[in-house]
Structure formats: structure tokens, C-alpha cells
Amino acid sequence: MHTLDLTGTWQLHWFDGQRGDSLERLLAADHDSCPPLAAAVPGTVHEALLAGGLIEEPTLGLNSLRCRWVEENLWFYRRAFTATKPADGERAWLVFEGLDLAAVIYLNGREVGRHSNYFYPCRLEVTEVLRDGENDLLVQLDGGLIHAAHRPARDTANSFDHEITKRCWLRKPQFVFGWDWAPRLITVGIPGGARLETGRAAVNQVSVSAVLAEDLRQGRVTARAWVTAPRATPLALTVRIAELGLRVTAGFIATDGETCLDATLTVSAPELWWPAGHGAQRLYRVEVTVSDANAGLHTTEREVGFRHVRVNQDPHPRRGAWFVVEVNRRPIFIKGANLVPADLLPARVTPAKTRALVDLALAANFNCLRVWGGGVYESDEFYRCCDERGVLVWQEFVFACGKYPAGDDDFLQDVLREARHQVRRLAEHASLFMWCGNNEIEICDYEFPPFQRPPRHPDHGLFHLELPRLMREEDPARYYHPSSPLSPAGVAPNDWHSGDQHAWDIGFADMDFRKYRTMTCRFPNEGGYLGPTALPTMRACLSAGEERLHSRAWTHHENAVTYWHARRSTDRALEEWLGLRADELSVSDFTFWAGLLQGEALAVFIKNFRRRMFDSAGAVFWMYNDAWPSVRSWTIVDYYLRRTPSYHPVRRAFAPVIPVIVSEAETVAVYGVNDGAEWRGQLQYGLCALATGDYPLTRHLAVTLKANSATLLVQYSLAKWRQCGMDRHFPFATLEQDGVTVGEDRLLPQLFKDIDWPRPDIRVEHADGEARFTSDRFAWNVCLDLDGAEFPPDNFFDLLPGRTRVLRWPSDRPAPKILHTGNQLAQRHD
């Protein structure tokens, strides 16, 4: 096999239907084309136009609106290359790892193939067309609007903008057509590699998987390769794990078309792979070689980990069914959020950005990321990072919030090719614990009127028949879930008592996040609360003269959920909770106050489900990261990888050991939540007086937290709180070990605007590599930074009266400066 790399700089031409270079002109032997642009492959048209100065960065200001013309054109990538015509018995293939989207490929003036799926490679045999010497390669591309123009719209769309774009017909990232958290920016280009392969045979794909027996004592590694070779060609597949001294070779005879080779190694007593926080991430390097009678055709190395995964959905003793992820026979409480593509132009997400996103998730005490079904199948780098760092991956096929035309056989066969390619591609990854058919299609069919007009459920068979059948063929050991949310034992898809749930009772119209405390979802897989991004990111969204709330640029970078109701729901939250009017806030003040609310809401969401483990077996919120700069987002990490104000409250809520205080049934209860081995320490709990900083009813207890459990530590009567004055005191709890506080909680039941906030005297000492914070009275949401930088190590934290909070703070750094506290709410109302 010989490979000629065709990446690099290509020529880029355009045609709008009237002007520019039409296909006929470009294919003519003698033509006077318009001056082309230089375009990088891999890359997108937007990137080429940006480099050429024809558009401005689409993530800034109103620039994405000014780029709309790009999606309405035909684009032509062209390059010449020198090749040698295949020898007798050899063949030649053009391979594009990614095409966006509707492509017609011409070699030396002849059409050699078409392709219209972003999610699997285009492989075309060109043996008869390839020339000795110089060859001319031309790729016509359309982002999808022209390709889908003849398709019916109302059969699939649930909003008028998607009737225009007909996105459900187009197999590419769905969010590029516009979502509440991203503008419409329909991509086009060649986002993957390109090459020419020549030889007697072609290795089309290699897939490796590792399976661990239920008793955890024996593993199997299976490699499969799909090869195109002349009929009756002897082929061999060799699998080797060098460090274990294991090797196996299996022989095959090629058949017509594509031949599947497979070989399996057995590994006795392998070291196990564990999710983060539960053990090491042991990976084994596997070498796979495909050869024919003459020589090796292809060698690749992969890494696998041995773990046994079960999604336990046994009947629950009280109601419904469990939904517990068990790894190596240990229940794992899932802590994480939803991952979306990290750029409006997914092709320009770098490996460094991918690694940074995974590392920031780990630093926030995540053990899981849900790869949401309206984005992409993530890069190889993403899954490698998750394997290495122990981040579990809930992976969805790319279908979201629509009615997909699976009754059209061409569409169905295309998406099955896509699914088969991706399942084979990702089978090696220990981190990937399950596949899910789609995002919110089942619940949309059930709840939302736009989905209830004919045709009803056009894609039901895809998710409940075709994809399960494909999974049984390709990756039978991995769990498949038809839709998210889906509650198999319930009447409705979002029933709280079985399956997974999208907990959107709060966050859209109702902004009272205290109601999270009563939710009993088995596995909340979405649920969120809007807030700001980091302050420099907020400012990057706003063009000159637009640096204010609700300006035109602000509105463009605003989350669309804000406009789903007569009054902006997220602005209303500021009024309801804080008594503040958004229109009267500066951008900086908005960032603090709205960030405070989001951090409070997400912490309540997380703690509620953690204290119910494993009746509730996860806390997965919407969403983790951004695709572009936003002024109001669901995220804790923004487009520029800055930490939003809610990052540290979420990090603390996900810490391995925390106390959680709840008030229910005329009692105040303190739970101890522990993700790890048995934990022993000290619990301090009681009431704190807001005005004086006194601690009435304070108690100290030696406590033991059972391993991997939530433990009810203490209860006391609500009457005791009433006697002290519920408006003047609040319950608190801390867990300490060896004199160090490992977690704390407090319960503020009122709306924050109704609290008589004290004015604390906060003292900060900076010495010996530490910053020590103390306060005479309760200090709420102490803010040291709004820029979202790597430093400080904590932010938006509380200070209990008389207790010292110690942060790592190098001596060569300036002493910490307190920018805000939530207590300043009292001054705003003076």
C-alpha cells in the first residue's frame, strides 16, 4: 500500500448561481476563472475566507450574521498532484476523512463519486481515471442548503428556521443550524484529511475492542479489519500485546467486495481500568497488523482497558427501576455535564483545546461527560484523553430534537453506514460506557405539539430496531439506550422513577431552584440554570458602542431561552431572587450577580442528587462548555476555556466528600456523601446567627462515612431552628479530618433578597505560600476574580464566622483582593 498525502493548500473557488466560477467553467479545458483563494485542507471555507480577509472572526460581535452568504454558495476545492498510474493488479482509491457536506468529486474532469455525510469517510476507487504524471482534482461542496432544497420541510422541522434549513435531512453537526446556545453558522469545507492510496489491497477500517468477563478474571481483545483485495488473495490478521508476550495470527481468503478479518487474544487476570476517583486507568497497547501473501499492508497501535460495565435497571424496591452505572461490579455515582462542540467551526478545535477541556472537567471533580446528540462524534484525542484520565463517556448518535426521515431508504442506509463506522471506530475506548440513540426525540414525540403533526414517529424504528440490531452486530457488550431521556418502566419518557431524566422543571420558566431539593430523578442527565461567562468573554461579545445589557450585540450572543417567554426569564430570576433589575446593572455587576445565582442553583442541583445516591445515581447538568462566546450560558467553562463564576461552586459540590443539609418533614438533616473508601472525621453542625456570628445549638461528632455512599449523620427538629428565628439563623455543617475542612454546607431557605445580610469584617493574611481568610460574621459568595483565569484556586466561597479558609497562594503573587461579596446585596437595597 502506497499513500500520497493530499492535505495542504488547495485553491478555493465560489459560485452563487449567477456570479463566480460555475462547475462548467472550472471543468472547461480553456477557461478564465476568477482569482482563487488559498484554502487549507483539512479546513473550512470560513477559515479560508477569514485568512483571506473576506470575513471577520465569526464568533465576535455580529460577525456570524455577516457570514450568512457563505452557506448560500457552491464552493470548489481544487488542486493538482503528481501520481503514478497503478501497476497491473493494483488499484487506486481517493480517500477523504471528512467532507462537509454535499460533495461531488471530479478527477481529471470526470465525476468519480458523490458523498453527503460529515460523519464517515468518503472512499472512491479511481484506478481507471488516475493518470501518470499530473492529475487535476476538483471537489464541489455545498453546506447542505442547496442539497436539501427539494426535500419536504414540515415533516421534520419543529421551528420555522429549521424548516428553512431542513437540518434533519443533513448528516452533519445539527447545532450549526442554530440552537439556543449557538447561532446559525452552516459550515462547509473539507474538515478531514485527504489522500491517494494505491496497492493490491486496501485496509478500509480497523476496530479493536476489549471485553472483561463478569468475574473480572479474564479479558478478551478482539481486532477486526475490513479489507478490499482481489478474490482468493491470502490475508492474515495479527494481534499482539507485547508487554504480556501475547500474540495471535488468523488467516483468511479474500472474497468479492470487502472481507472482514478478525482475531481474538485472551488475557488472564488483567489489571482493571477504573473511572476517576475509583482506581487507576490501566491501559494496554495492542498492535494490529494486516498482511497479504507478499507483505504487511497496514499496522496500527491502539490502547484498550479492561473493565466490566453494567447499567443496572433492576426493579427498585419502592417504585420504578434503578438506573445505576456499575463498573467492575461497583456502583459509580456519575458526576458531570453535557459536552458540546468547542467551536462553531468544529474542525478548528485543536488537540490542545480538547485536552484542556478534559483536564478542566477533572479539576471540577467530574467523572463523566455526556457527548450530546446534536454535535459531533468527538475527535480521537478526546476519547484518548478520557481513557487516560478516567472520564466516562455517555456517547450519543447525532440526532437531536427533530423528526428524522428514517422512512426514506437512502437516508436510512446512509445513517446506518455512519453509525457502523463510528461504533467500529470507538469500540477500543474503555471510557465509552454506552451508546444512546438520540437526544430528546422520544420526549419531543410525547410532549411537544410540533412533533404531533403527521408523520408521527418517522424515526422510531431507527432508534428502537435498526440501531439496536447494529449494536448487537458490532459492539454487543456495550449498553445501548434508545433515547435520552427515556424511562422504560414509566408511562412518559421523562418519568422520574426509571431510566434517565432531563430535569427542566426549573431553568426555563420557573427560576426557583429551591425546588431542585425535592426532585427524585433516578438519573438526571440534563438540567441547568443560565448564568454569565467570564467577564473578558462577556466583553468580547460586545462590539464598540454595544457594551451594555440588551444591546444588539448582547442579544445576538444571548441564550435564546431568554426569549421563550413574555418576560426574559433569566432577567426575572435576578428580580425574584435578588431584587435587582438587569437593565440597571453594568456588564461587570451582571457577571457577578448572575454568576452567583447560577453557582447557587447548580450546587443545589448536584447536592440534592448526591445525597440520594443510589436512588438517584447521577448528577449530570446542562451544559459543560461553549461553542462560541456568550453573554449568558449554561456553562462552567466558556469558549476561551475561562472558568465562569459557577465553576468553583460546581467543583466544590462534586468534591469526593461533602456534607449536605436538607429540611424536610419537620426536621433538619445532615448527610455525609462519600465517593471513596470509608472516611472518618469530625462533623460540626448547628445554626449560625447572621447578625452576630454566634453559633447556637452547635454540636461536634466523630463520624464515619460508609464507602461509596450517602450516610444520614444527624437529624434535629425544625422547631429548634424556629425557636432561634429562621430569618436570623441558618443551618450549617462542616466535615473535617486532621483539623482540615474537607467540605461544608449551609441552608438558606429564603429568597436572597429577603435576607437581612450582615456587613462582615473580612481579614486576609498572605504569607508562607498561603492566603488565610477570616470574617467576624457570615460572608456569602466571596468573589476574588471575574476573569476566569487558572488562579485563584477557589472563588465564590463562603466564610463562616470565626473560621479560617486557607488557599494556596504563592508568596510571589500579589495578595488576594476581594472584588465582591453577596452581602453587598444589602447595600444595593439601602
Side-chain angles (χ1 to χ4, degrees):
M1 176 67 65
H2 303 284
T3 300
L4 176 64
D5 185 7
L6 297 178
T7 63
T9 302
W10 292 45
Q11 293 181 348
L12 181 66
H13 301 262
W14 62 276
F15 183 58
D16 68 3
Q18 301 293 332
R19 296 169 181 81
D21 289 317
S22 66
L23 175 65
E24 292 73 21
R25 282 167 54 83
L26 292 172
L27 291 179
D30 183 21
H31 68 276
D32 54 347
S33 67
C34 302
L37 281 174
V41 172
T44 64
V45 168
H46 288 89
E47 290 172 277
L49 296 174
L50 187 59
L54 295 181
I55 63 171
E56 296 181 80
E57 170 55 47
T59 61
L60 299 179
L62 300 172
N63 292 340
S64 68
L65 295 175
R66 300 185 181 108
C67 293
R68 284 282 176 92
W69 63 274
V70 177
E71 67 194 40
E72 298 168 356
N73 285 261
L74 286 176
W75 296 91
F76 299 90
Y77 280 76
R78 188 172 214 162
R79 69 158 294 164
F81 64 90
T82 301
T84 302
K85 193 167 180 61
D88 289 345
E90 292 189 336
R91 300 162 76 181
W93 294 269
L94 268 176
V95 182
F96 293 92
E97 291 295 337
L99 290 169
D100 185 9
L101 175 68
V104 186
I105 299 97
Y106 299 86
L107 181 62
N108 299 321
R110 287 177 55 184
E111 180 182 326
V112 293
R114 297 181 176 225
H115 191 82
S116 55
N117 194 309
Y118 184 102
F119 299 121
Y120 67 87
C122 172
R123 175 178 285 272
L124 304 169
E125 184 170 357
V126 293
T127 306
E128 301 303 319
V129 185
L130 191 68
R131 296 174 181 164
D132 262 330
E134 185 169 285
N135 289 263
D136 176 60
L137 178 58
L138 180 71
V139 181
Q140 173 187 295
L141 285 164
D142 151 36
L145 294 187
I146 301 168
H147 179 69
H150 68 291
R151 296 294 192 180
R154 289 184 61 81
D155 287 356
T156 62
N158 63 320
S159 61
F160 83 84
D161 56 323
H162 292 167
E163 289 186 15
I164 295 170
T165 61
K166 304 177 185 179
R167 67 168 177 88
C168 288
W169 286 97
L170 301 174
R171 297 311 300 148
K172 64 187 294 179
Q174 298 290 275
F175 83 102
V176 303
F177 299 98
W179 226 265
D180 65 284
W181 44 269
R184 178 169 131 195
L185 190 75
I186 300 177
T187 53
V188 59
I190 304 180
R195 64 185 181 273
L196 176 72
E197 295 179 355
T198 56
R200 284 178 47 82
V203 179
N204 303 324
Q205 191 172 15
V206 173
S207 179
V208 178
S209 61
V211 176
L212 183 65
E214 278 194 56
D215 64 7
L216 312 184
R217 295 178 180 176
Q218 188 177 82
R220 295 194 324 274
V221 175
T222 299
R224 296 184 295 163
W226 290 266
V227 180
T228 302
R231 181 179 178 82
T233 300
L235 299 169
L237 180 68
T238 300
V239 185
R240 185 169 73 109
I241 304 178
E243 65 177 294
L244 300 179
L246 298 175
R247 176 189 176 105
V248 65
T249 298
F252 302 85
I253 299 298
T255 59
D256 289 333
E258 190 176 65
T259 304
C260 179
L261 322 182
D262 66 280
T264 298
L265 276 176
T266 299
V267 180
S268 298
E271 297 177 52
L272 303 185
W273 183 97
W274 289 95
H278 291 269
Q281 290 76 53
R282 180 65 161 93
L283 296 172
Y284 292 85
R285 188 172 295 275
V286 179
E287 181 185 275
V288 180
T289 299
V290 181
S291 54
D292 65 8
N294 299 315
L297 297 173
H298 179 80
T299 296
T300 183
E301 287 191 343
R302 311 290 175 87
E303 284 190 323
V304 300
F306 292 97
R307 83 287 181 273
H308 182 273
V309 176
R310 176 185 182 229
V311 179
N312 180 351
Q313 298 185 77
D314 293 344
H316 191 277
R318 290 190 297 278
R319 183 175 176 183
W322 302 95
F323 196 92
V324 181
V325 178
E326 298 174 351
V327 179
N328 303 330
R329 305 175 73 174
R330 179 187 301 173
I332 307 294
F333 187 89
I334 299 299
K335 304 186 299 184
N338 286 260
L339 184 84
V340 301
D343 203 298
L344 295 180
L345 305 174
R348 67 176 181 180
V349 177
T350 64
K353 187 169 190 178
T354 297
R355 289 192 296 270
L357 281 167
V358 176
D359 286 343
L360 282 164
L362 270 180
N365 294 309
F366 284 27
N367 62 17
C368 181
L369 288 166
R370 175 186 176 226
V371 180
W372 170 73
V376 297
Y377 305 97
E378 283 291 338
S379 66
D380 292 340
E381 183 67 24
F382 169 76
Y383 299 100
R384 277 196 297 267
C385 286
C386 291
D387 288 348
E388 293 165 1
R389 291 156 170 80
V391 177
L392 292 166
V393 176
W394 171 303
Q395 177 67 51
E396 295 187 348
F397 292 101
V398 179
F399 303 93
C401 303
K403 296 198 291 185
Y404 287 85
D408 181 282
D409 194 60
D410 289 340
F411 180 89
L412 176 63
Q413 296 307 317
D414 189 50
V415 298
L416 291 177
R417 285 190 291 271
E418 167 194 323
R420 199 174 298 277
H421 171 79
Q422 293 294 343
V423 170
R424 292 173 178 177
R425 170 188 163 232
L426 300 181
E428 70 201 59
H429 293 290
S431 57
L432 195 153
F433 74 95
M434 64 167 286
W435 280 92
C436 178
N438 66 72
N439 172 76
E440 292 190 345
I441 290 177
E442 204 92 357
I443 190 174
C444 287
D445 283 344
Y446 186 83
E447 291 188 0
F448 299 152
F451 285 79
Q452 292 166 7
R453 64 189 178 213
R456 294 294 302 275
H457 320 303
D459 42 26
H460 188 84
L462 171 61
F463 304 120
H464 289 268
L465 177 64
E466 297 286 358
L467 287 177
R469 179 186 295 155
L470 184 148
M471 290 296 301
R472 288 193 295 271
E473 294 170 0
E474 298 291 346
D475 198 357
R478 205 152 340 229
Y479 173 68
Y480 171 78
H481 196 62
S483 184
S484 179
L486 184 66
S487 302
V491 175
N494 207 33
D495 184 279
W496 282 8
H497 301 101
S498 71
D500 72 310
Q501 294 75 37
H502 290 193
W504 286 115
D505 299 58
I506 308 301
F508 288 168
D510 190 343
M511 308 305 290
D512 188 353
F513 54 79
R514 292 174 296 186
K515 296 175 183 176
Y516 282 141
R517 296 188 176 110
T518 63
M519 287 188 176
T520 57
C521 306
R522 289 282 178 252
F523 192 93
N525 215 3
E526 283 190 21
Y529 208 88
L530 284 165
T533 53
L535 184 55
T537 304
M538 302 280 288
R539 289 174 171 153
C541 298
L542 306 178
S543 317
E546 299 271 331
E547 305 96 333
R548 64 189 183 281
L549 273 67
H550 308 142
S551 66
R552 185 68 182 91
W554 177 284
T555 302
H556 186 50
H557 287 260
E558 175 69 277
N559 189 283
V561 169
T562 301
Y563 301 101
W564 287 4
H565 307 94
R567 294 185 61 214
R568 299 183 185 97
S569 56
T570 44
D571 285 358
R572 181 164 41 80
L574 289 168
E575 295 183 38
E576 292 176 357
W577 275 100
L578 303 172
L580 300 176
R581 290 185 56 81
D583 289 333
E584 297 172 359
L585 297 176
S586 68
V587 172
S588 177
D589 285 347
F590 174 88
T591 302
F592 171 70
W593 291 110
L596 179 153
L597 276 187
Q598 185 185 37
E600 291 281 340
L602 291 178
V604 171
F605 176 91
I606 291 164
K607 291 176 183 178
N608 172 64
F609 297 114
R610 290 195 71 193
R611 66 102 171 175
R612 300 177 188 275
M613 65 188 294
F614 283 90
D615 285 336
S616 296
V620 180
F621 65 88
W622 183 266
M623 60 192 196
Y624 173 53
N625 65 303
D626 270 321
W628 81 318
S630 178
V631 294
R632 192 151 19 195
S633 179
W634 305 106
T635 62
I636 66 167
V637 174
D638 72 25
Y639 173 70
Y640 297 111
L641 301 179
R642 297 178 179 126
R643 295 155 181 81
T644 74
S646 60
Y647 179 88
H648 286 288
V650 165
R651 177 187 60 79
R652 293 192 299 270
F654 274 146
V657 175
I658 61 167
V660 179
I661 306 172
V662 295
S663 175
E664 55 187 5
E666 288 298 307
T667 63
V668 177
V670 180
Y671 290 81
V673 179
N674 174 27
D675 286 340
E678 183 180 88
W679 185 93
R680 297 175 184 270
Q682 295 290 319
L683 168 69
Q684 181 180 359
Y685 72 96
L687 299 177
C688 177
L690 277 164
T692 64
D694 295 333
Y695 289 102
L697 304 178
T698 298
R699 301 288 186 272
H700 294 78
L701 289 177
V703 295
T704 299
L705 306 188
K706 291 181 290 186
N708 201 30
S709 298
T711 303
L712 176 60
L713 299 177
V714 69
Q715 287 179 297
Y716 57 91
S717 170
L718 195 65
K720 294 181 178 181
W721 186 8
R722 290 196 187 101
Q723 289 169 7
C724 292
M726 294 182 70
D727 59 337
R728 301 186 304 276
H729 299 79
F730 63 89
F732 78 96
T734 65
L735 287 171
E736 298 180 3
Q737 191 175 60
D738 300 326
V740 176
T741 300
V742 299
E744 64 182 40
D745 195 21
R746 39 73 176 163
L747 181 62
L748 300 172
Q750 309 99 312
L751 293 171
F752 301 142
K753 67 182 180 182
D754 296 333
I755 296 175
D756 187 9
W757 292 104
R759 302 192 182 190
D761 179 15
I762 302 174
R763 298 187 179 186
V764 183
E765 296 179 3
H766 179 210
D768 302 323
E770 293 180 343
R772 303 172 69 85
F773 298 80
T774 58
S775 178
D776 63 337
R777 283 172 288 182
F778 178 60
W780 177 52
N781 273 285
V782 176
C783 172
L784 305 180
D785 171 72
L786 289 174
D787 290 345
E790 180 180 357
F791 208 80
D794 202 359
N795 202 15
F796 284 82
F797 55 81
D798 296 341
L799 294 175
L800 289 169
R803 300 176 62 91
T804 301
R805 180 178 287 267
V806 180
L807 301 183
R808 174 185 54 82
W809 206 282
S811 300
D812 58 355
R813 281 188 173 271
K817 180 181 178 182
I818 296 174
L819 302 182
H820 301 276
T821 69
N823 303 62
Q824 292 166 349
L825 191 61
Q827 298 164 243
R828 297 192 71 96
H829 292 161
D830 284 348

